[in-house]
Amino acid sequence: MISCFTFVTLAGCATGEKEIPVAVRIANATPAVSVTARGETTPVGTPNADAADDPAIWRNAADPAQSLIVGTDKKAGLHVYGLDGRNRDFLDAGRVNNVDLKDGVVINGAPGILVAASDRNDIANAKVALFRLDPATAKLTAIGKIDGGKGEAYGICLGRDASGLSAFIVLKDGTINQIALDATGATPTGRVVRSMKLDTQSEGCAVDDRTGTLYVAEEDVGLWRFDARATGATTPKKIAAADGKNLVMDAEGVAIAPIGEKDGYVLVSSQGDNAYVLYRLSDDSYVGRFRVVDGSIGGSEETDGIELMLGDFGPAYPGGLFIAQDGHNAAAAQNFKLVGWDDIVKALGLPR
């Protein structure tokens, strides 16, 4: 979501909402280091609007430089990009807000890449829209929709454990429905196995499959974690408050950097001051903050969705790839900025 408490007027803000300058909101914010993007995607197709929102990454293990990015234009559908940022495919899926994917999922009898998007074409009835991504052609094929519960679909993330694959769909009112997915047949099926609740508007989420932990950002409140197991407790634990210091509301996109068996970092978009915050997975402690600033490629501001995947992505991103939605892409429509994980590690002085 684009916050209307910004230093510029954006199309996503309702008429008459009060704008509070960034300087006022970040007066007490912790300093952030700076990195620059190494790449960017072509803008989404919807101009003059808050349209780009959330990215997902598929890593090509056989040829990392040929990995793919799926990104939402929440007014129109799904884009597929190469690491060069060029648009490889667009699927008219309507109002899909957030997106995630999993490789190695059995789809109609054969393993493949399953893409899931939060579908809010009907704002009263959330859906999980499912697609198959063909890595050879970079084409998306719609394979069906699953009921996500009553309310407006907002965030989505996928998790996998011994019991199978789950979609966690975050409704705009803070309800989180866990849906057990089965795509093995000709038509995918799913059922809500449990629900969790945060008090106010929430969106970004990510699952750490190693530890069975679900992370969710409640926009004006902070970052939470839940037990991601279908049999687990539904009570959340707060990791960080959006108090204007380390995390400045809105807290938006969430991503995970898994390191070793249980450690690493959870990252959250601090949309209110155009920054990104890291917390340590092992003990929820604050690690640091960074911004993506202007370089040979423009920086990122007003970020909604983020994604991160560690590993080799070819010569441009040898240590991993961080992607941030850019809500203010100069005179062009919104797009996604690509940042080397190595640059973030170096800027923050993280152990290698």
Side-chain angles (χ1 to χ4, degrees):
M1 182 192 77
I2 285 288
S3 170
C4 291
F5 304 119
T6 61
F7 59 92
V8 291
T9 300
L10 296 172
C13 298
T15 302
E17 289 187 293
K18 183 179 180 181
E19 295 180 6
I20 300 176
V22 167
V24 174
R25 290 182 288 117
I26 67 172
N28 296 319
T30 307
V33 300
S34 297
V35 299
T36 55
R38 298 187 184 187
E40 64 180 333
T41 66
T42 55
V44 297
T46 303
N48 304 316
D50 175 25
D53 198 281
D54 191 46
I57 301 169
W58 173 71
R59 180 177 174 271
N60 186 334
D63 189 355
Q66 298 304 311
S67 299
L68 298 171
I69 300 161
V70 180
T72 59
D73 178 336
K74 62 188 176 186
K75 310 293 186 183
L78 292 166
H79 288 272
V80 182
Y81 306 98
L83 293 188
D84 60 3
R86 295 180 181 177
N87 193 69
R88 300 281 303 277
D89 186 40
F90 174 75
L91 182 66
D92 181 358
R95 289 164 54 84
V96 287
N97 199 58
N98 280 19
V99 67
D100 200 5
L101 61 82
K102 284 287 188 186
D103 202 350
V105 177
V106 177
I107 306 171
N108 194 17
I113 305 165
L114 183 71
V115 176
S118 53
D119 185 310
R120 58 177 181 173
N121 285 293
D122 178 354
I123 62 173
N125 297 284
K127 301 287 186 182
V128 177
L130 297 174
F131 310 85
R132 184 170 190 155
L133 174 62
D134 183 339
T137 64
K139 300 294 183 183
L140 286 165
T141 302
I143 61 173
K145 294 185 180 182
I146 305 296
D147 288 337
K150 294 293 184 181
E152 184 174 355
Y154 224 41
I156 196 166
C157 50
L158 298 176
R160 181 163 46 192
D161 60 19
S163 67
L165 182 67
S166 289
F168 296 87
I169 186 163
V170 183
L171 307 185
K172 197 170 185 178
D173 69 355
T175 299
I176 305 150
N177 290 328
Q178 182 172 357
I179 301 169
L181 293 179
D182 183 355
T184 58
T187 302
T189 61
R191 60 186 179 89
V192 176
V193 294
R194 65 172 183 157
S195 293
M196 295 158 278
K197 186 72 172 73
L198 294 173
D199 290 338
T200 62
Q201 185 166 305
S202 307
E203 183 176 4
C205 67
V207 180
D208 187 346
D209 288 340
R210 303 168 307 161
T211 61
T213 305
L214 167 69
Y215 297 87
V216 184
E218 187 177 5
E219 294 187 357
D220 292 347
V221 178
L223 181 65
W224 300 83
R225 60 177 168 89
F226 291 86
D227 189 329
R229 297 171 298 173
T231 57
T234 59
T235 303
K237 179 177 180 180
K238 184 181 283 187
I239 295 172
D243 58 5
K245 296 178 181 178
N246 295 335
L247 185 57
V248 181
M249 67 179 190
D250 295 341
E252 289 280 349
V254 180
I256 292 172
I259 298 172
E261 293 185 358
K262 294 183 178 181
D263 210 353
Y265 311 99
V266 57
L267 288 74
V268 59
S269 169
S270 177
Q271 190 188 77
D273 73 328
N274 306 323
Y276 312 93
V277 191
L278 282 75
Y279 298 92
R280 188 165 284 107
L281 293 175
S282 59
D283 60 8
D284 300 336
S285 62
Y286 167 76
V287 175
R289 310 173 80 243
F290 69 95
R291 291 191 178 93
V292 182
V293 300
D294 291 349
S296 59
I297 294 168
S300 57
E301 300 167 316
E302 294 286 342
T303 294
D304 284 324
I306 61 174
E307 185 58 291
L308 170 64
M309 185 173 285
L310 306 189
D312 179 18
F313 282 85
Y317 307 96
L321 175 63
F322 173 79
I323 303 177
Q325 180 259 6
D326 184 9
H328 185 58
N329 186 33
Q334 296 177 345
N335 73 346
F336 300 92
K337 296 300 193 286
L338 281 58
V339 180
W341 174 245
D342 289 344
D343 296 337
I344 297 168
V345 167
K346 181 178 179 180
L348 288 169
L350 302 179
R352 294 179 178 272

